[in-house]
Amino acid sequence: MYQKKFHLIELELNSILEITQVINNNAPEDSLYKMYKFTLQGNLQVEKLALYVFEDDDNKWQCKVDFGTNLDFSHIDLEAEALSDIRDISPVDHVDFSTESFNEFDVIIPVFHKDKVLAYVFLDSNESDSELNDVDTRFVQTLSNIIIVAIENKKLVRKQIRQETFKKELDIAKQVQSMLFPKSLPKTKSLQIEATYFPHHIVGGDYYDYIPVSDEEFVLCIADVSGKGVPAALLMSNFQASLRTLTRQTTDLNEIISELNSLIWQNAQGDHFITFFIGLYNTTTRQFNYINAGHNPAFLLYNNEAHQLHSGTTILGIFDPLPFINQKSVDNIDEFLLFSYTDGITETSNPEGEEYGIERLMEFITKNRDMDVTKLHNQLIREIQMFKQENQYSDDITMLSCRYTQEEDDEG
């Protein structure tokens, strides 16, 4: 009897030593599970076992090892709620399972790390062809704990690497995005342009721009790309570079929109799309041309009237070629206020679930049309904050305003 017990202890110690060496050699998870199975089934001659491990990535329990069973437990879900009270080695018949699948076993062994359950081992502790007879459940618990904690540490390292990679990607995306926006905007007697941008996340999906085309013409635009992070930021960066190249070649908005749409279609392959508003004003002809590509309608206020600018085409990047383009022209405007924005403003909601909406926004802009554009933006932000109260913003907030008058600018 003493020799049998000594032999068992020797087997167990050797098994722990072998497992520890494999762990120290940084073996992959699959190798650790294979070693676990070989040690229990081959060395200690455990006849029947199923090991369930919780996978954070899939948010579910998975059977990682099973042998000697009548059923294939890799296809049997674990009823984790039924095991919530199991804190130590317990009989299976103490658990109220809804199926009889686990009746093949007589013992449940929980595996903890601190207060978190990492795994459950099911085994038949009374079956063994070994001369050692019954399975040492405490050793199975110890061995399982060593293996599962080692695997959990590998998961944590992977998670940390993913987080560091994600942080680096966010930093890159943030740097790319910061280069999209114009470094300065004109503030002269005749032309005042103001922009406000509040990203909802570290990296947002909005873009605005002011592009002087010639001494008589300038372009204003605002856009919202679907998706976030590096892919969206890189797409928008490519979009901006292409837009600036195109405006040096032509002022035909139809051509610019068509080329930008093809670019998005080719680069994003339907995974991303962009809503876009572009306006071109000529100070000599006093003509304002625009195309709205599925974006929120900009507001154009002139001659004591306020207009929503809807005309244009569909969202960019969905069809190639675009099914239609309707460029709109507004003639003979000497003075105007253009206010453009993204849907983060109109979709901001109050505690009752009511959205701020286009009508309320239009009313605010019309009422404050003569206000300095910087002050206009500041007042609107305060208005929205009062409206939403303790609610959080649901999206990026971007505003771009342009006031033009016929006043002569000072020279020099």
Side-chain angles (χ1 to χ4, degrees):
M1 181 67 182
Y2 175 78
Q3 287 184 334
K4 288 183 179 180
K5 189 169 183 178
F6 179 80
H7 183 46
L8 173 61
I9 293 173
E10 185 180 27
L11 277 174
E12 291 177 348
L13 289 175
N14 288 336
S15 298
I16 289 177
L17 179 61
E18 291 173 1
I19 290 286
T20 304
Q21 288 174 340
V22 172
I23 292 172
N24 289 339
N25 289 331
N26 199 28
E29 291 175 27
D30 286 347
S31 296
L32 292 179
Y33 284 127
K34 288 177 182 177
M35 188 67 181
Y36 175 78
K37 178 180 178 179
F38 173 79
T39 300
L40 293 177
Q41 187 180 28
N43 290 356
L44 302 179
Q45 297 183 2
V46 173
E47 293 292 319
K48 187 179 293 189
L49 178 142
L51 170 68
Y52 280 85
V53 179
F54 187 77
E55 293 290 345
D56 289 321
D57 291 343
D58 299 323
N59 195 34
K60 64 181 297 186
W61 290 90
Q62 294 182 6
C63 183
K64 294 294 187 178
V65 176
D66 67 322
F67 57 82
T69 57
N70 298 322
L71 299 175
D72 181 1
F73 280 85
S74 64
H75 294 95
I76 297 176
D77 292 332
L78 180 68
E79 299 176 39
E81 291 183 2
L83 297 166
S84 59
D85 293 332
I86 301 298
R87 310 300 295 177
D88 202 350
I89 299 171
S90 305
V92 168
D93 58 16
H94 284 191
V95 181
D96 187 18
F97 289 115
S98 62
T99 68
E100 297 182 356
S101 302
F102 294 94
N103 289 348
E104 290 195 42
F105 310 103
D106 66 348
V107 171
I108 304 168
I109 303 174
V111 178
F112 284 88
H113 180 57
K114 298 181 179 178
D115 291 330
K116 181 182 178 183
V117 183
L118 302 181
Y120 289 103
V121 182
F122 293 84
L123 62 90
D124 191 334
S125 61
N126 297 315
E127 283 197 15
S128 175
D129 289 337
S130 168
E131 61 178 5
L132 305 175
N133 298 320
D134 293 351
V135 175
D136 184 348
T137 54
R138 285 295 175 187
F139 175 75
V140 173
Q141 185 180 44
T142 300
L143 191 68
S144 301
N145 189 272
I146 292 171
I147 286 286
I148 298 302
V149 169
I151 290 173
E152 182 71 8
N153 288 335
K154 286 180 175 292
K155 292 178 183 177
L156 291 174
V157 170
R158 281 204 310 271
K159 185 177 180 180
Q160 185 178 7
I161 292 172
R162 285 199 302 266
Q163 288 174 339
E164 291 175 355
T165 302
F166 181 65
K167 185 178 182 300
K168 289 179 182 178
E169 288 181 349
L170 283 181
D171 289 341
I172 293 170
K174 192 175 181 180
Q175 292 173 17
V176 169
Q177 190 179 53
S178 68
M179 294 186 290
L180 295 181
F181 303 117
K183 295 295 182 288
S184 62
L185 296 171
K187 292 289 176 63
T188 66
K189 286 184 178 180
S190 63
L191 181 62
Q192 301 96 42
I193 297 178
E194 181 71 19
T196 301
Y197 173 59
F198 295 138
H200 181 241
H201 300 285
I202 296 175
V203 178
D206 290 357
Y207 157 66
Y208 65 85
D209 213 343
Y210 160 76
I211 307 172
V213 178
S214 66
D215 292 339
E216 295 82 26
E217 293 180 303
F218 61 86
V219 165
L220 292 164
C221 65
I222 192 167
D224 187 355
V225 62
S226 66
K228 308 294 178 188
V230 173
L234 292 178
L235 177 62
M236 195 62 92
S237 177
N238 196 6
F239 179 85
Q240 183 227 36
S242 300
L243 172 61
R244 286 180 168 256
T245 299
L246 288 167
T247 55
R248 287 196 294 267
Q249 298 171 352
T250 180
T251 56
D252 184 342
L253 296 188
N254 288 337
E255 183 178 343
I256 290 172
I257 285 289
S258 295
E259 291 296 325
L260 290 174
N261 179 70
S262 295
L263 168 81
I264 301 165
W265 174 263
Q266 292 167 12
N267 289 348
Q269 296 294 313
D271 292 333
H272 296 280
F273 57 84
I274 293 178
T275 67
F276 182 56
F277 174 88
I278 183 170
L280 171 71
Y281 184 66
N282 188 304
T283 60
T284 302
T285 64
R286 297 177 299 161
Q287 185 180 66
F288 182 80
N289 297 321
Y290 77 88
I291 293 176
N292 187 331
H295 198 77
N296 304 90
F299 305 149
L300 185 64
L301 294 83
Y302 65 97
N303 295 340
N304 294 319
E305 294 181 351
H307 305 268
Q308 293 187 24
L309 308 184
H310 291 280
S311 296
T313 185
T314 186
I315 295 170
L316 304 183
I318 301 297
F319 306 101
D320 190 33
L322 288 167
F324 63 91
I325 304 176
N326 296 323
Q327 181 181 168
K328 186 79 172 181
S329 297
V330 182
D331 299 321
N332 300 317
I333 52 172
D334 298 324
E335 299 181 359
F336 65 87
L337 171 66
L338 177 73
F339 178 82
S340 58
Y341 57 97
T342 56
D343 56 15
I345 293 178
T346 54
E347 293 180 0
T348 297
S349 60
N350 62 19
E352 288 72 41
E354 179 186 10
E355 291 187 347
Y356 188 74
I358 291 178
E359 291 76 14
R360 190 179 275 106
L361 178 60
M362 183 76 164
E363 181 182 351
F364 178 89
I365 299 300
T366 302
K367 179 181 177 182
N368 298 283
R369 61 191 301 163
D370 297 324
M371 189 179 289
D372 172 81
V373 288
T374 301
K375 187 176 180 181
L376 177 69
H377 282 209
N378 292 337
Q379 288 284 89
L380 179 55
I381 290 298
R382 282 194 287 269
E383 164 95 356
I384 293 171
Q385 288 174 340
M386 290 176 61
F387 175 80
K388 75 178 185 65
Q389 298 179 47
E390 69 273 13
N391 272 18
Q392 299 296 314
Y393 290 111
S394 60
D395 203 351
D396 307 331
I397 284 186
T398 305
M399 298 179 280
L400 179 67
S401 293
C402 170
R403 185 187 301 283
Y404 179 80
T405 65
Q406 286 291 316
E407 293 187 38
E408 293 290 333
D409 293 328
D410 296 331
E411 294 188 4

